[in-house]
Structures are given as C-alpha cells and as structure tokens.
C-alpha cells in the first residue's frame, strides 16, 4: 500500500526531506510550497503552490489528498500552528505544536525555560521590552554582548559585539528593534550543530555538523542563512570532545524533559546550536526543525526509511535501532546570488555544469523561458559525500565551480585549512 507523505516548504532543506522520503518506492510525496522548487517537483507525486503559513489551505489540501503523515520544513508554519491543525485533522506531523515551537520562535521563552529548570549550558542573559533599559544595560556592561531579537530572524538577526558591531552599533541595533531583545554574554569558542529526532520522550541524535553563517571566505562578511556545512565520517567533529558531545545531548534531553513538565511535549526535530567553549558546550539557540543547510548533510547520510522515523516520532515509539547513518563525510556548499545577503541579484540566468557524483539540491530559483534564474535568497547547493572529508570537499567544490552565472560560493568550506584553524582556535581556548 502506497503511503502519502506531505512535505511543507520549498527550499533546499525540503528538497533533502523529499529526496529522503522518496527513496522508499512505497511512499508518494505530496509537496506544498509558496514557490516552485524544480528539484522537489521532479521527485514528488504531486505539487501544490500554497503559501506555507496559509495553514487552513495546507490542511485542507492534506485532507483532500488523504495524507498519511507530514514533515514540516520551515519555522514560520510551525509558529502559525500548522502541526496543531494537522493533528486535529488526524494527520501525524513531524514538528512541534505552536506552543512547543516557542523553543525557537521566542528566545526569551527558551532562556527562561533553561533558567527555571536549571539546565546547564546557558549563558548569562537578560530579556528586555524597553529600549531605554536595554540601552542602559549595553552601555554599562564591561564586556562584549550578543543582541538578539526575541522572535524569528531567519538566521540573520543576531549582532555580536567585537565581531560584527562595536558598542555604539549594538546600541543602534537595540533601538532598531525597539528594545524587544534578548541580550547575552558573548561566548568564545567554535559553534557546532547537534540535531535529534524526538518523539516526546526519546531523542535519537544525528551526526554533528558545523554550519558557516558568514557570507565570505575566512568567516568574513555579514551573517546569512548558512553558506554550507560539513560532517565527518565518525559523526563527530575534531574540535568537539566526546564529553562535549555527550553534554550537548544531555542538555537537549533535559530541555525535552522540562517541556514535558511544562505541559508542552516536544515531538519532531530538535536542533541544538552549541558553542564549544573552554568550560564545555553552551547553548547558542534551539531550532524546532531541520537546519538549512545541515539537513542536506545528515539526510544524505540517512540509511533508514525516513517515513518509518516519521511514524515513530508521531506515536512515541522512536528508538535508535530505527535510525542509522552512513559512516561517511559530507560537505555542502551553497551557491548564492551576487550581492547576497544585502542586495542579491535577482532574475539573473545561470547554468549548472556537470556535477559528477555530487547531490544537487535546489533552493530559491526561478525559471524564465526554460532558463534557471536567481531569486532573492540562496540559489542551490551541492553535497559531496566521501570516505574522507577531503574527498567529500573535492566532489562538492568541483560541482559548485561548474555553475556559470552571477553566483558565488565559499570555496573554503570543508577544507583542511579551515578545519585546522578551527582546531587551533579550540586548543588556544582550552
């Protein structure tokens, strides 16, 4: 019997989800998205163009098509309560309810939850709803701070003193946000991502990944939604100790337990963004869904049937024997329009060359008279898979370099040189 699985969203992350589901010949993927993703369209049994946050329309479509299960890609429909309404319609969905999704959509909620339950890994922080009070705190604080909007920012709303802005720049940003901010101590170390499947009680971790937020090589330029990521064959990262990895997973387990105690059982994907520091992992933030680009890394390694994982999450029977990942390295490199992120060149034609063994994931592209064109955000990504990181990087780089047009990518992601700098940085700190 063919199962009908719904994928909500139309980016590179959702292309990876669709590809993972479609590996099972007994799964028919139905996709809803605001704009057409040609990669998803090639894999899906049916595609409907619906704005992802139009929850009533998405749920109506799911009912009409007899959908058996759903995977929610982006955070915006989670905040709009799509899982709540799918559950009411009797359709199990991978994603938290609107209230549980506050772990991502409300940064103050996240920090207060960790504080109330005394969960380790939390930096010093203050929540402000008043511009004058927030500015006074920033002005008087003796060290560097991080300024974050309380709500969603698409990965681009954080300002770090000593890295992106000085004190006056931080004050200006607080004023721009009208004082609705979380202000935290600046953490020093190396960031890493740990994602896990969660069924309300049990967590099954995925391979560790390191994302690259800065637009330009050498970790320069403005923050972006993510320019690419890599993972290692042993599913660890060389600058993250075994104890750090275990501590990060323990923190996530405690967060899930705390949410259950608060009457907010968490089901779906929990994404932990951590900073490896001299004293152990600290929580940068939590997200309530797969990361983008990190989903392309880990789902390219998933050796299990994703549809089985979906139903294990939904009915609370998830266990580690259901989930396995290939012991290989991955490197993901995003191509983005020239001028991204501040002023991306839109509507510009580009051509994809021969990309060998790399996996191609479309993100935001338009088609004009059969020609692929750039849109206003990240364009497409290639994932290289290999026995070693160097092999995976070479595959991804050759594919990315074969694209012709007004796009660019970070050539240094997954290279030995960049990884060596990460490791040297952590040796200095420790």
């Amino acid at each position: 019997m063919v199962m009908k699985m719904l994928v909500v969203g139309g980016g590179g992350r959702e292309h990876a989800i669709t590809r993972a589901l479609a590996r099972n010949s007994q799964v028919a993927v139905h996709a809803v998205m605001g704009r057409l993703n040609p990669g998803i369209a090639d894999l899906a049994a049916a595609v409907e163009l619906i704005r992802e946050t139009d929850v009533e329309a998405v749920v109506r479509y799911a009912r009409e098509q007899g959908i058996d299960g759903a995977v929610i890609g982006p955070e915006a429909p989670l905040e709009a309560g799509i899982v709540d309404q799918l559950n009411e319609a009797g359709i199990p969905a991978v994603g938290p309810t609107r209230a549980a999704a506050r772990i991502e959509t409300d940064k103050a909620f996240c920090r207060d939850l960790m504080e109330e339950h005394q969960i380790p890994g939390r930096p010093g922080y203050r929540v402000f709803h008043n511009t004058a009070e927030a500015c006074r705190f920033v002005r008087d604080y003796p060290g560097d701070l991080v300024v974050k909007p309380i709500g969603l920012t698409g990965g681009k709303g954080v300002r770090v003193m000593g890295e992106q802005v000085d004190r006056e720049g931080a004050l200006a940003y607080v004023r721009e946000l009208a004082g609705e901010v979380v202000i935290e101590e600046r953490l020093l170390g190396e960031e890493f991502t740990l994602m896990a499947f969660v069924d309300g009680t049990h967590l099954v971790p995925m391979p560790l990944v390191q994302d690259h937020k800065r637009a330009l090589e050498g970790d320069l330029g403005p923050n972006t939604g993510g320019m690419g990521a890599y993972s290692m064959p042993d599913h660890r990262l060389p600058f993250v100790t075994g104890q750090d990895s275990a501590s990060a997973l323990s923190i996530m387990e405690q967060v899930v337990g705390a949410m259950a105690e608060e009457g907010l059982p968490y089901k779906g994907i929990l994404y932990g963004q951590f900073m490896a520091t001299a004293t152990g992992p600290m929580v940068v933030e939590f997200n309530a869904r797969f990361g983008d680009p990190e989903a392309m890394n880990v789902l390219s390694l998933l050796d299990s049937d994703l549809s089985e994982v979906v139903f294990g999450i939904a009915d609370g029977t998830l266990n580690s024997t259901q989930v396995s990942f290939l012991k290989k390295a991955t490197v993901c490199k995003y191509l983005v329009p020239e001028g991204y992120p501040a002023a991306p060149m839109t509507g510009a034609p580009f051509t994809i060359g021969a990309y060998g063994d790399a996996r191609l994931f479309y993100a935001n592209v338009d088609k004009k008279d059969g020609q692929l064109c750039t849109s206003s955000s990240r364009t497409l990504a290639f994932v290289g898979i290999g026995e070693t990181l160097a092999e995976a990087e070479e595959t991804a780089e050759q594919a990315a370099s074969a694209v012709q047009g007004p796009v660019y990518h970070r050539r240094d992601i997954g290279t030995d040189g960049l990884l060596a700098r990460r490791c040297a940085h952590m040796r200095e700190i420790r």
Side-chain angles (χ1 to χ4, degrees):
M1 179 180 174
V2 174
M3 290 184 295
K4 295 182 177 181
M5 302 296 294
L6 179 69
V7 175
V8 178
R13 164 183 48 214
E14 291 76 33
H15 190 176
I17 294 168
T18 301
R19 183 168 184 158
L21 287 169
R23 285 174 45 214
N24 183 339
S25 61
Q26 296 303 302
V27 170
V29 177
H30 289 244
V32 295
M33 62 194 80
R35 62 188 307 156
L36 187 67
N37 180 313
I40 295 175
D42 286 346
L43 292 168
V47 173
E48 193 76 8
L49 295 182
I50 303 174
R51 184 167 45 87
E52 293 95 333
T53 52
D54 188 349
V55 171
E56 291 185 2
V58 174
V59 174
R60 182 166 57 249
Y61 174 80
R63 280 177 165 154
E64 291 170 353
Q65 298 300 316
I67 296 298
D68 296 299
V71 182
I72 315 303
E75 58 272 28
L78 295 173
E79 186 179 38
I82 192 169
V83 170
D84 306 67
Q85 293 202 32
L86 285 169
N87 287 343
E88 288 178 13
I91 301 170
V94 172
T97 62
R98 181 178 186 177
R102 290 176 67 202
I103 197 70
E104 172 176 8
T105 63
D106 185 340
K107 292 180 178 63
F109 168 82
C110 173
R111 290 308 190 203
D112 289 345
L113 177 81
M114 293 185 69
E115 183 74 21
E116 181 179 344
H117 290 265
Q118 290 296 290
I119 298 172
R122 57 193 190 280
Y125 78 102
R126 289 279 302 275
V127 178
F128 293 94
H129 302 280
N130 178 280
T131 301
E133 290 179 4
C135 285
R136 190 178 307 115
F137 179 80
V138 171
R139 195 176 290 111
D140 295 343
Y141 191 81
D144 288 338
L145 294 163
V146 178
V147 181
K148 300 180 177 182
I150 286 176
L152 293 175
T153 64
K156 292 172 277 193
V158 176
R159 299 291 185 273
V160 181
M161 287 175 58
E163 184 176 303
Q164 296 164 300
V165 295
D166 58 13
R167 196 169 303 275
E168 288 303 316
L171 289 166
Y173 191 47
V174 169
R175 297 186 191 102
E176 179 184 331
L177 297 173
E180 293 288 327
V181 294
V182 175
I183 300 179
E184 302 173 357
E185 65 172 313
R186 182 188 177 191
L187 300 172
L188 295 178
E190 287 291 335
E191 289 192 32
F192 67 94
T193 299
L194 173 60
M195 296 184 289
F197 297 109
V198 187
D199 68 359
T201 304
H202 310 99
L203 284 79
V204 177
M206 304 181 210
L208 296 185
V209 185
Q210 187 177 48
D211 183 20
H212 298 70
K213 287 290 189 185
R214 305 298 282 273
L216 305 177
E217 291 172 22
D219 293 325
L220 302 175
N223 269 0
T224 70
M227 293 295 293
Y230 68 92
S231 68
M232 302 295 287
D234 62 359
H235 300 168
R236 305 247 314 260
L237 293 171
F239 53 83
V240 178
T241 67
Q243 180 58 52
D244 284 348
S245 181
S247 296
L249 180 59
S250 174
I251 289 168
M252 292 171 67
E253 290 171 339
Q254 291 177 65
V255 166
V256 170
M259 294 191 74
E261 289 181 30
E262 297 289 333
L264 302 170
Y266 191 96
K267 291 188 175 187
I269 310 300
L270 184 60
Y271 168 126
Q273 189 72 30
F274 292 93
M275 183 77 77
T277 73
T279 57
M282 302 289 284
V283 176
V284 176
E285 64 180 4
F286 286 113
N287 292 328
R289 35 71 191 181
F290 280 114
D292 185 351
E294 296 97 328
M296 290 178 273
N297 296 84
V298 298
L299 290 177
S300 293
L301 295 175
L302 183 65
D303 199 32
S304 308
D305 184 346
L306 183 57
S307 64
E308 289 187 8
V309 177
V310 168
F311 292 111
I313 290 171
D315 60 23
T317 60
L318 181 69
N319 64 75
S320 59
T321 60
Q322 284 178 272
V323 186
S324 62
F325 295 90
L326 299 174
K327 290 283 190 176
K328 294 187 176 184
T330 65
V331 173
C332 175
K333 299 196 180 193
Y334 250 120
L335 287 107
V336 301
E338 289 184 4
Y340 175 82
M345 182 183 295
T346 62
F350 67 91
T351 303
I352 300 172
Y355 54 91
D357 294 331
R359 293 189 179 182
L360 166 63
F361 296 99
Y362 287 98
N364 286 272
V365 299
D366 291 324
K367 263 191 176 181
K368 296 180 181 177
D369 301 322
Q371 172 69 58
L372 291 170
C373 298
T374 60
S375 187
S376 59
S377 189
R378 294 173 293 178
T379 305
L380 57 86
F382 289 105
V383 173
I385 304 171
E387 298 296 330
T388 65
L389 183 66
E391 183 182 327
E393 191 278 328
E394 182 179 8
T395 299
E397 179 59 30
Q398 287 181 353
S401 297
V403 177
Q404 300 295 314
V407 294
Y408 73 93
H409 69 281
R410 280 189 57 171
R411 294 170 297 173
D412 61 345
I413 294 173
T415 60
D416 290 340
L418 186 60
L419 185 57
R421 289 198 293 274
R422 300 275 194 260
C423 294
H425 184 213
M426 286 310 301
R427 285 196 297 270
E428 290 173 6
I429 290 172
R430 290 188 172 119

